[in-house]
Amino acid sequence: MVYSTELLKGTLKTIVLKLLVDNKKMYGYEITQKVKELTQDKIQITEGALYPTLHGLEADGLVTTETEYIGKRVRKYYSLNLAGKTRAKEKVNELASFVQTMTLLLDLKTKTL
Amino acid sequence: MAALSDEQVDYILDELRAHGIRLEGLRDNLLDHICILLEERLETGGDFESAYAALIPCFYRQELYELEEEALFITSLKGPHLVLSRNRLFQCLLGIVASPYISYFLLWFFILRPAGDPRQPIDVLDAIMVFALFPFLIILVLFLTPDRFDPLIPWRSKVLIGGKTLIRVLPAAT
């Protein structure tokens, strides 16, 4: 089952931040592949969602970038700065709390038992 | 893995520009991503043109520039900072530079000028000096808005204008 775009929209930033916490520095394609691998293809981040999000994180001053030239093209690596690490922690905690609340709200524990 | 030729990379870059991707960082990301996916596809056979034509619609719903609009929208939501378009920035700078002169001239013309006094040649010279600032203002605006650079000026010209873009462009220029 692949999750819907609507469901993923509010969590994409958190996903990217957490991946950057765990992997130090990553580029766009690498992020999409890592998400696919970790979720066994259940979550597939589209380029149309990922790159605006990365652009937003950069504008927010949460990530630093470094570029590597591969022939004529540029590969842009993203890594978290101190503010980014702090924000990542906050976002993960927020999402964890949200999941707990949704579990209570939808009575998911009872249903899975 | 099959590596794309410089011509093929240039072709994709031109296509991205032609389809409205003007933010340099976003364009670099998309170029790299598309190149990787194309190299993967070409590894299993097929030609560049058909692989590119099949791949590129996966990146958008209606048009490719949606990605840029989304990126700009996300950026515009951040913090209490002012986002000016290039034209608006130019207008502001022009106003700052030219308005003191225009105000002074209007004040002199309507209030301080002695009756029947023709305009002095020095006034014309003043006006020329003020409006000679136009080219410098244009360069300043281009320097302050590097992401909006490429549609107007050939990319190699960037080295003439700013340190930031100089660092960005030099490796490709060699």
Side-chain angles (χ1 to χ4, degrees):
Chain A
M1 180 178 67
V2 177
Y3 300 118
S4 69
T5 313
E6 288 75 20
L7 205 53
L8 293 174
K9 220 165 192 176
T11 57
L12 182 55
K13 193 172 175 180
T14 310
I15 292 170
V16 172
L17 286 170
K18 181 69 171 83
L19 282 176
L20 290 176
V21 168
D22 294 341
N23 295 277
K24 306 301 176 200
K25 69 171 188 177
M26 299 180 90
Y27 59 96
Y29 177 78
E30 193 180 11
I31 291 172
T32 60
Q33 296 306 298
K34 193 73 180 174
V35 171
K36 275 174 78 174
E37 178 196 324
L38 290 173
T39 63
Q40 297 170 334
D41 285 356
K42 285 181 180 173
I43 293 179
Q44 295 180 9
I45 297 179
T46 63
E47 298 79 15
L50 175 65
Y51 289 115
T53 301
L54 285 172
H55 189 82
L57 290 174
E58 195 176 355
D60 259 351
L62 299 176
V63 293
T64 52
T65 60
E66 52 185 280
T67 53
E68 177 189 349
Y69 281 83
I70 300 169
K72 287 197 81 172
R73 68 187 205 244
V74 179
R75 180 161 295 165
K76 200 168 175 182
Y77 284 92
Y78 293 85
S79 55
L80 291 179
N81 55 26
L82 193 59
K85 286 173 186 166
T86 310
R87 181 65 66 84
K89 201 173 175 183
E90 289 168 3
K91 294 291 284 181
V92 170
N93 288 339
E94 184 190 21
L95 187 59
S97 168
F98 179 73
V99 170
Q100 276 185 349
T101 307
M102 290 303 287
T103 305
L104 285 171
L105 183 66
L106 303 178
D107 199 19
L108 296 178
K109 274 185 183 166
T110 312
K111 285 182 182 173
T112 52
L113 283 174
Chain B
M1 182 178 281
L4 297 182
S5 67
D6 286 352
E7 290 74 25
Q8 288 167 333
V9 174
D10 283 340
Y11 172 80
I12 300 167
L13 195 55
D14 290 342
E15 281 284 300
L16 291 175
R17 285 191 180 126
H19 285 87
I21 304 297
R22 296 182 294 173
L23 294 172
E24 200 171 346
L26 180 62
R27 196 169 57 225
D28 287 343
N29 275 330
L30 286 174
L31 176 66
D32 186 44
H33 200 114
I34 291 168
C35 287
I36 293 170
L37 292 174
L38 280 175
E39 285 169 351
E40 280 179 2
R41 291 186 179 199
L42 292 176
E43 191 72 14
T44 57
D47 64 293
F48 171 77
E49 284 78 15
S50 53
Y52 179 78
L55 173 69
I56 207 70
C58 304
F59 280 70
Y60 56 82
R61 290 195 192 97
Q62 311 251 326
E63 288 290 340
L64 194 59
Y65 66 77
E66 290 165 11
L67 273 71
E68 174 148 327
E69 286 181 344
E70 177 76 9
L72 289 173
F73 175 70
I74 289 174
T75 308
S76 72
L77 297 177
K78 312 297 177 196
H81 64 274
L82 187 62
V83 178
L84 292 176
S85 69
R86 173 175 274 171
N87 286 341
R88 188 61 59 84
L89 179 61
F90 181 76
Q91 287 166 11
C92 289
L93 288 176
L94 182 64
I96 290 167
V97 171
S99 60
Y101 170 78
I102 293 169
S103 305
Y104 170 77
F105 177 80
L106 291 175
L107 185 71
W108 173 82
F109 189 84
F110 289 110
I111 299 172
L112 302 177
R113 183 171 66 108
D117 185 19
R119 287 194 65 189
Q120 299 296 313
I122 194 72
D123 295 329
V124 179
L125 187 64
D126 284 349
I128 290 171
M129 286 179 68
V130 169
F131 291 106
L133 290 171
F134 270 35
F136 296 106
L137 277 181
I138 291 169
I139 290 172
L140 184 62
V141 169
L142 292 174
F143 178 74
L144 292 174
T145 55
D147 283 338
R148 291 288 177 192
F149 208 0
D150 289 332
L152 298 180
I153 291 187
W155 62 271
R156 283 177 192 277
S157 305
K158 287 180 183 179
V159 295
L160 299 174
I161 296 186
K164 186 178 174 187
T165 46
L166 177 69
I167 293 165
R168 164 71 183 78
V169 167
L170 270 181
T174 51

